[in-house]
Amino acid sequence: MKISIFVNLKNEYVKNLTKDIISVLSQFCEKIYMSEKYRDDFSDSVCFIDKGELMSSCDLAISIGGDGTTLATAKQASFYNKLVLGINAGRLGFMSGLEKDELELLNKLSTGEYSVDERMMLKASVYKDDEVISEYHCLNDAVITRGGLARLIDISVMSEGRLATSTRADGMIVSTPTGSTAYSMAAGGPVLSPDNSCFVVTPICPHSLLNRSIVFSSDKELTLFVENDVYNNSFLAIDGQESIPIDNGARIVISKSEYSAKLIKIKPDNFYEILSKKIIERR
């Protein structure tokens, strides 16, 4: 078995945890790959290769860090149809399959004693004058937000050629079921089990007493139009990692991505047990 490790070395603790993980993996792995930039940080039991080759070279990937690290790794892995196991070294770790004190369960990777949790992704296509100028794939969400000034923007959502909702707000979140426990939930959206296949559209601070989230089937395309006033602008944020300016007259088409993230699940906890442990009881 060949495993690539993707790590977020923000502090010395994560580095030490990664060393412990490597020690366990070396007992059954043929190869353990890491980025060349970590050559001075880890032992000779690791093969250091170019970062761009990590995903294509492995049988599966391990992400060590918080949800942001797992999110980025799982999305990259989806383009290669590879499995990802997230090991939580952060605060929440909602997408992680193991906690930092459960490393003894890593040997289940070699015996195949795990299941795969497949997560739908969405595609956001930005059009200008009927031409696609950019496309992005999201595991959590595509978010339209206002610029730096505290001025509302107007956002309309069309489904099957008809107006579904229109609102003045700070922005609009279009999330996957996986993303329903992230920004969408913080904005008042519903929590959905990740085995669903749908889009959740949630306004951010709408200037209305009636606006609520709307859930759309993922077999329908959504088209979003944004209007800024002369003093404001808007942006499209992709999984909280990229920010793209959106001009007046542009439209954003949301559809189901042809890619899906595949997360390894070793423990028997179901989604609602994880939700209770990580979010409800944590309060």
Side-chain angles (χ1 to χ4, degrees), residues 74-127:
K75 186 159 64 170
Q76 182 184 355
S78 71
F79 305 140
Y80 293 85
N81 197 31
K82 298 292 177 71
L83 308 182
V84 174
L85 172 65
I87 299 179
N88 182 30
R91 291 174 297 176
L92 186 59
F94 198 80
M95 296 178 66
S96 300
L98 289 180
E99 297 298 320
K100 52 185 175 289
D101 58 352
E102 298 174 328
L103 302 187
E104 72 278 1
L105 297 177
L106 282 171
N107 64 355
K108 293 183 180 292
L109 295 177
S110 63
T111 61
E113 296 177 77
Y114 60 82
S115 59
V116 178
D117 190 5
E118 188 164 354
R119 308 286 185 92
M120 70 154 279
M121 295 169 57
L122 64 81
K123 181 170 71 173
S125 304
V126 181
Y127 284 78

Side-chain angles (χ1 to χ4, degrees), residues 8 126 137 228 258 281:
N8 184 358
V126 181
H137 296 272
N228 310 312
E258 62 267 35
E281 294 177 5

